[in-house]
Amino acid sequence: MIPLMKVALPEKDMLLSKLGDVFDSGILAEGDLVYEFEKKFQSLYDYNSCYAMSSGTACLHAALTASGVMSGDEVITTSMTAEPTNLSILYAGGVPIFADVDDAGNLAAESIKAKITPKTKAIVVVHYAGYPVNITSIRKVADDYGLKLIEDCAHALGAKWDGKPVGSYGEYSIFSFQAIKHMTTIDGGILVVNTNENSSEYFKKFRWFGMLKGADRTTNNIESIGYKYNMTNVSAAIGLLQLDNIENRIAKHVENADIINSTFNNSELIRKVEFDSRSEPSYWLYSIRAKNAQEVIERLQRNGFQASKLHRPNHLHKIFKSSQVSLPRLDCFYQELVHIPCGWWMSSEDVERMIEVLNYG
Ligand SMILES: Cc1ncc(COP(=O)(O)O)c(C=O)c1O
């Protein structure tokens, strides 16, 4: 069975040798490798400043807190995502307000605008499955209403909007390096900061109990709450190796997706997700819409390809009950949604065979 997602690790000898060096050093938790990883990631994508943490979820919590989200503040967000996007709003004390989506399953600017109230503090967008949201129109809404914009780029490493990497447009952006993403550090995440509203010290303290690493613990004075969110040197060592090859790996996702884009024919029953010409997805997954999604999932599985809807729209969870609203476009998108594989583990022949299954059953 060709899986929908697959763990990607550096070549084994290189990985074990690098990890051996870390274990020999005796410095396993946050240390110089973490800072080297942050710098390498930052310069690869030309971001302003970056803070590595233990997970993408930790980075979301940091982004929301840095945006000033506090108890009772409203955060406009999407339900079409993995749950951590919205659970982290609860961590910060905020109230998720779900807006509706466009044809690619991403938040639509006009729906966001309709949800703004005096209590709105921030907007969280998700570049779902690696397809960038229309960030130009959403950035404009945020600016017009004085709201912070947070990009959840957990699925979209390497994707671009209007020639610039996703993660460059929000005040804060996050990436996840959890096991099945484009790139893994086993678990981990990075926060991209594109504003000077909070100092570097603020984020360093946020990720480590409210204290600065290296400062004398006997005289350190915690002034605001911090968390145990630091990345470890072990994860950073893996991340440093991953960054050497990440562009090639993402290019393979894009190459496979381009085969689907150019050879798969839309029909009455199955069609590709449409996206803007400014969008350059990095295709963590390839998304299609099918009139009978379950039949397509089962047909692909019978032919050796794993396919799935993957997530449950978050507003259906009991914990988000008080945020429940009518989302007619999301309902329609979700009913038709099927994610199919297109990652580095597929050869062009695999992709062509999958398209045959889709085109001819
Ligand atoms: C869209 C989205 N946001 C945030 C996260 C959280 O990332 P992590 O698992 O690294 O905490 C994930 C991954 O699980 C995700 O898919």
Side-chain angles (χ1 to χ4, degrees), residues 69-96:
V69 173
M70 286 190 273
S71 183
D73 287 337
E74 294 180 354
V75 179
I76 299 176
T77 180
T78 180
S79 170
M80 196 59 260
T81 182
E83 292 77 0
T85 309
N86 293 311
L87 286 171
S88 59
I89 296 173
L90 302 184
Y91 294 178
V95 180

mmCIF file of all heavy atoms in Angstrom, residues 69-96:
data_model
loop_
_atom_site.group_PDB
_atom_site.id
_atom_site.type_symbol
_atom_site.label_atom_id
_atom_site.label_comp_id
_atom_site.label_asym_id
_atom_site.label_seq_id
_atom_site.Cartn_x
_atom_site.Cartn_y
_atom_site.Cartn_z
ATOM 1 N N VAL A 69 -3.481 37.720 22.987
ATOM 2 C CA VAL A 69 -4.757 37.021 23.209
ATOM 3 C C VAL A 69 -4.856 36.633 24.683
ATOM 4 O O VAL A 69 -3.962 35.981 25.224
ATOM 5 C CB VAL A 69 -4.863 35.763 22.307
ATOM 6 C CG1 VAL A 69 -6.107 34.949 22.658
ATOM 7 C CG2 VAL A 69 -4.870 36.173 20.842
ATOM 8 N N MET A 70 -5.940 37.092 25.300
ATOM 9 C CA MET A 70 -6.145 36.798 26.726
ATOM 10 C C MET A 70 -7.565 36.303 26.946
ATOM 11 O O MET A 70 -8.356 36.255 25.986
ATOM 12 C CB MET A 70 -5.902 38.063 27.545
ATOM 13 C CG MET A 70 -4.423 38.389 27.639
ATOM 14 S SD MET A 70 -4.107 39.674 28.822
ATOM 15 C CE MET A 70 -4.321 41.101 27.841
ATOM 16 N N SER A 71 -7.870 36.007 28.167
ATOM 17 C CA SER A 71 -9.158 35.428 28.514
ATOM 18 C C SER A 71 -10.326 36.187 27.865
ATOM 19 O O SER A 71 -10.448 37.396 28.039
ATOM 20 C CB SER A 71 -9.289 35.446 30.035
ATOM 21 O OG SER A 71 -10.483 34.837 30.379
ATOM 22 N N GLY A 72 -11.134 35.463 27.107
ATOM 23 C CA GLY A 72 -12.335 36.043 26.500
ATOM 24 C C GLY A 72 -12.106 36.709 25.143
ATOM 25 O O GLY A 72 -13.066 37.052 24.454
ATOM 26 N N ASP A 73 -10.856 36.875 24.723
ATOM 27 C CA ASP A 73 -10.608 37.485 23.400
ATOM 28 C C ASP A 73 -11.009 36.508 22.292
ATOM 29 O O ASP A 73 -10.764 35.305 22.401
ATOM 30 C CB ASP A 73 -9.120 37.818 23.223
ATOM 31 C CG ASP A 73 -8.690 39.008 24.055
ATOM 32 O OD1 ASP A 73 -9.570 39.822 24.413
ATOM 33 O OD2 ASP A 73 -7.487 39.121 24.342
ATOM 34 N N GLU A 74 -11.550 37.063 21.227
ATOM 35 C CA GLU A 74 -11.953 36.212 20.105
ATOM 36 C C GLU A 74 -10.826 36.101 19.079
ATOM 37 O O GLU A 74 -10.138 37.084 18.785
ATOM 38 C CB GLU A 74 -13.210 36.786 19.443
ATOM 39 C CG GLU A 74 -14.411 36.715 20.382
ATOM 40 C CD GLU A 74 -15.700 37.273 19.777
ATOM 41 O OE1 GLU A 74 -15.657 37.823 18.654
ATOM 42 O OE2 GLU A 74 -16.734 37.147 20.452
ATOM 43 N N VAL A 75 -10.669 34.878 18.571
ATOM 44 C CA VAL A 75 -9.663 34.632 17.536
ATOM 45 C C VAL A 75 -10.382 33.988 16.353
ATOM 46 O O VAL A 75 -10.975 32.911 16.501
ATOM 47 C CB VAL A 75 -8.548 33.698 18.057
ATOM 48 C CG1 VAL A 75 -7.530 33.425 16.957
ATOM 49 C CG2 VAL A 75 -7.864 34.301 19.278
ATOM 50 N N ILE A 76 -10.344 34.640 15.208
ATOM 51 C CA ILE A 76 -11.023 34.075 14.034
ATOM 52 C C ILE A 76 -10.102 33.030 13.416
ATOM 53 O O ILE A 76 -8.907 33.268 13.213
ATOM 54 C CB ILE A 76 -11.406 35.183 13.040
ATOM 55 C CG1 ILE A 76 -12.365 36.147 13.745
ATOM 56 C CG2 ILE A 76 -12.049 34.576 11.797
ATOM 57 C CD1 ILE A 76 -12.761 37.342 12.924
ATOM 58 N N THR A 77 -10.678 31.859 13.151
ATOM 59 C CA THR A 77 -9.860 30.712 12.799
ATOM 60 C C THR A 77 -10.643 29.785 11.875
ATOM 61 O O THR A 77 -11.799 30.043 11.555
ATOM 62 C CB THR A 77 -9.431 29.988 14.099
ATOM 63 O OG1 THR A 77 -8.628 28.850 13.768
ATOM 64 C CG2 THR A 77 -10.634 29.499 14.906
ATOM 65 N N THR A 78 -9.967 28.704 11.469
ATOM 66 C CA THR A 78 -10.639 27.721 10.619
ATOM 67 C C THR A 78 -10.927 26.443 11.395
ATOM 68 O O THR A 78 -10.150 26.061 12.278
ATOM 69 C CB THR A 78 -9.784 27.388 9.380
ATOM 70 O OG1 THR A 78 -10.486 26.415 8.591
ATOM 71 C CG2 THR A 78 -8.409 26.844 9.741
ATOM 72 N N SER A 79 -12.004 25.792 11.005
ATOM 73 C CA SER A 79 -12.333 24.496 11.594
ATOM 74 C C SER A 79 -11.688 23.378 10.784
ATOM 75 O O SER A 79 -11.520 22.262 11.266
ATOM 76 C CB SER A 79 -13.854 24.349 11.588
ATOM 77 O OG SER A 79 -14.244 23.064 11.915
ATOM 78 N N MET A 80 -11.275 23.702 9.541
ATOM 79 C CA MET A 80 -10.715 22.698 8.628
ATOM 80 C C MET A 80 -9.209 22.587 8.861
ATOM 81 O O MET A 80 -8.388 23.087 8.084
ATOM 82 C CB MET A 80 -11.031 23.137 7.189
ATOM 83 C CG MET A 80 -10.866 22.060 6.126
ATOM 84 S SD MET A 80 -11.901 20.608 6.379
ATOM 85 C CE MET A 80 -10.783 19.434 7.100
ATOM 86 N N THR A 81 -8.855 21.918 9.939
ATOM 87 C CA THR A 81 -7.452 21.841 10.358
ATOM 88 C C THR A 81 -7.284 20.722 11.374
ATOM 89 O O THR A 81 -8.265 20.124 11.820
ATOM 90 C CB THR A 81 -7.009 23.194 10.973
ATOM 91 O OG1 THR A 81 -5.623 23.126 11.328
ATOM 92 C CG2 THR A 81 -7.820 23.582 12.202
ATOM 93 N N ALA A 82 -6.037 20.483 11.753
ATOM 94 C CA ALA A 82 -5.781 19.582 12.874
ATOM 95 C C ALA A 82 -6.152 20.329 14.164
ATOM 96 O O ALA A 82 -6.027 21.559 14.238
ATOM 97 C CB ALA A 82 -4.313 19.183 12.897
ATOM 98 N N GLU A 83 -6.535 19.587 15.156
ATOM 99 C CA GLU A 83 -7.079 20.173 16.383
ATOM 100 C C GLU A 83 -6.138 21.146 17.100
ATOM 101 O O GLU A 83 -6.600 22.110 17.729
ATOM 102 C CB GLU A 83 -7.541 19.059 17.332
ATOM 103 C CG GLU A 83 -8.748 18.271 16.849
ATOM 104 C CD GLU A 83 -8.445 17.241 15.765
ATOM 105 O OE1 GLU A 83 -7.268 17.107 15.364
ATOM 106 O OE2 GLU A 83 -9.388 16.585 15.314
ATOM 107 N N PRO A 84 -4.793 20.939 17.066
ATOM 108 C CA PRO A 84 -3.918 21.861 17.824
ATOM 109 C C PRO A 84 -4.055 23.323 17.424
ATOM 110 O O PRO A 84 -3.835 24.213 18.271
ATOM 111 C CB PRO A 84 -2.493 21.358 17.536
ATOM 112 C CG PRO A 84 -2.611 20.180 16.664
ATOM 113 C CD PRO A 84 -4.040 19.824 16.486
ATOM 114 N N THR A 85 -4.439 23.588 16.186
ATOM 115 C CA THR A 85 -4.634 24.978 15.764
ATOM 116 C C THR A 85 -5.596 25.678 16.716
ATOM 117 O O THR A 85 -5.371 26.820 17.126
ATOM 118 C CB THR A 85 -5.232 25.038 14.330
ATOM 119 O OG1 THR A 85 -4.459 24.226 13.464
ATOM 120 C CG2 THR A 85 -5.316 26.456 13.808
ATOM 121 N N ASN A 86 -6.667 24.971 17.051
ATOM 122 C CA ASN A 86 -7.720 25.607 17.843
ATOM 123 C C ASN A 86 -7.610 25.327 19.337
ATOM 124 O O ASN A 86 -8.003 26.154 20.157
ATOM 125 C CB ASN A 86 -9.083 25.198 17.278
ATOM 126 C CG ASN A 86 -9.253 25.796 15.891
ATOM 127 O OD1 ASN A 86 -9.020 27.004 15.709
ATOM 128 N ND2 ASN A 86 -9.589 24.977 14.909
ATOM 129 N N LEU A 87 -7.024 24.181 19.694
ATOM 130 C CA LEU A 87 -6.788 23.930 21.128
ATOM 131 C C LEU A 87 -5.842 24.988 21.686
ATOM 132 O O LEU A 87 -5.985 25.442 22.821
ATOM 133 C CB LEU A 87 -6.191 22.532 21.331
ATOM 134 C CG LEU A 87 -7.186 21.379 21.138
ATOM 135 C CD1 LEU A 87 -6.454 20.037 21.140
ATOM 136 C CD2 LEU A 87 -8.264 21.392 22.222
ATOM 137 N N SER A 88 -4.872 25.412 20.878
ATOM 138 C CA SER A 88 -3.901 26.394 21.379
ATOM 139 C C SER A 88 -4.584 27.740 21.662
ATOM 140 O O SER A 88 -4.140 28.483 22.535
ATOM 141 C CB SER A 88 -2.738 26.556 20.402
ATOM 142 O OG SER A 88 -3.212 26.980 19.159
ATOM 143 N N ILE A 89 -5.673 28.020 20.945
ATOM 144 C CA ILE A 89 -6.436 29.251 21.250
ATOM 145 C C ILE A 89 -7.031 29.127 22.656
ATOM 146 O O ILE A 89 -7.004 30.080 23.446
ATOM 147 C CB ILE A 89 -7.543 29.488 20.187
ATOM 148 C CG1 ILE A 89 -6.886 29.722 18.819
ATOM 149 C CG2 ILE A 89 -8.441 30.666 20.578
ATOM 150 C CD1 ILE A 89 -7.867 29.805 17.651
ATOM 151 N N LEU A 90 -7.499 27.923 22.977
ATOM 152 C CA LEU A 90 -8.021 27.692 24.338
ATOM 153 C C LEU A 90 -6.900 27.806 25.372
ATOM 154 O O LEU A 90 -7.108 28.346 26.459
ATOM 155 C CB LEU A 90 -8.701 26.324 24.446
ATOM 156 C CG LEU A 90 -9.869 26.034 23.501
ATOM 157 C CD1 LEU A 90 -10.489 24.670 23.830
ATOM 158 C CD2 LEU A 90 -10.942 27.110 23.561
ATOM 159 N N TYR A 91 -5.696 27.283 25.043
ATOM 160 C CA TYR A 91 -4.566 27.401 25.997
ATOM 161 C C TYR A 91 -4.378 28.870 26.402
ATOM 162 O O TYR A 91 -4.060 29.177 27.545
ATOM 163 C CB TYR A 91 -3.234 26.983 25.386
ATOM 164 C CG TYR A 91 -3.021 25.548 24.981
ATOM 165 C CD1 TYR A 91 -1.818 25.183 24.376
ATOM 166 C CD2 TYR A 91 -3.971 24.555 25.174
ATOM 167 C CE1 TYR A 91 -1.567 23.882 23.979
ATOM 168 C CE2 TYR A 91 -3.729 23.254 24.771
ATOM 169 C CZ TYR A 91 -2.534 22.918 24.174
ATOM 170 O OH TYR A 91 -2.283 21.641 23.765
ATOM 171 N N ALA A 92 -4.507 29.769 25.390
ATOM 172 C CA ALA A 92 -4.245 31.193 25.646
ATOM 173 C C ALA A 92 -5.440 31.877 26.323
ATOM 174 O O ALA A 92 -5.363 33.057 26.652
ATOM 175 C CB ALA A 92 -3.900 31.896 24.335
ATOM 176 N N GLY A 93 -6.535 31.139 26.469
ATOM 177 C CA GLY A 93 -7.734 31.719 27.094
ATOM 178 C C GLY A 93 -8.690 32.326 26.076
ATOM 179 O O GLY A 93 -9.715 32.902 26.439
ATOM 180 N N GLY A 94 -8.341 32.194 24.795
ATOM 181 C CA GLY A 94 -9.157 32.807 23.737
ATOM 182 C C GLY A 94 -10.381 31.979 23.372
ATOM 183 O O GLY A 94 -10.540 30.840 23.824
ATOM 184 N N VAL A 95 -11.230 32.570 22.540
ATOM 185 C CA VAL A 95 -12.443 31.910 22.069
ATOM 186 C C VAL A 95 -12.319 31.737 20.556
ATOM 187 O O VAL A 95 -12.240 32.727 19.821
ATOM 188 C CB VAL A 95 -13.695 32.778 22.367
ATOM 189 C CG1 VAL A 95 -14.964 32.086 21.884
ATOM 190 C CG2 VAL A 95 -13.760 33.125 23.838
ATOM 191 N N PRO A 96 -12.280 30.482 20.060
ATOM 192 C CA PRO A 96 -12.209 30.290 18.609
ATOM 193 C C PRO A 96 -13.530 30.699 17.941
ATOM 194 O O PRO A 96 -14.603 30.299 18.400
ATOM 195 C CB PRO A 96 -11.979 28.783 18.437
ATOM 196 C CG PRO A 96 -11.660 28.256 19.789
ATOM 197 C CD PRO A 96 -12.262 29.207 20.781
#
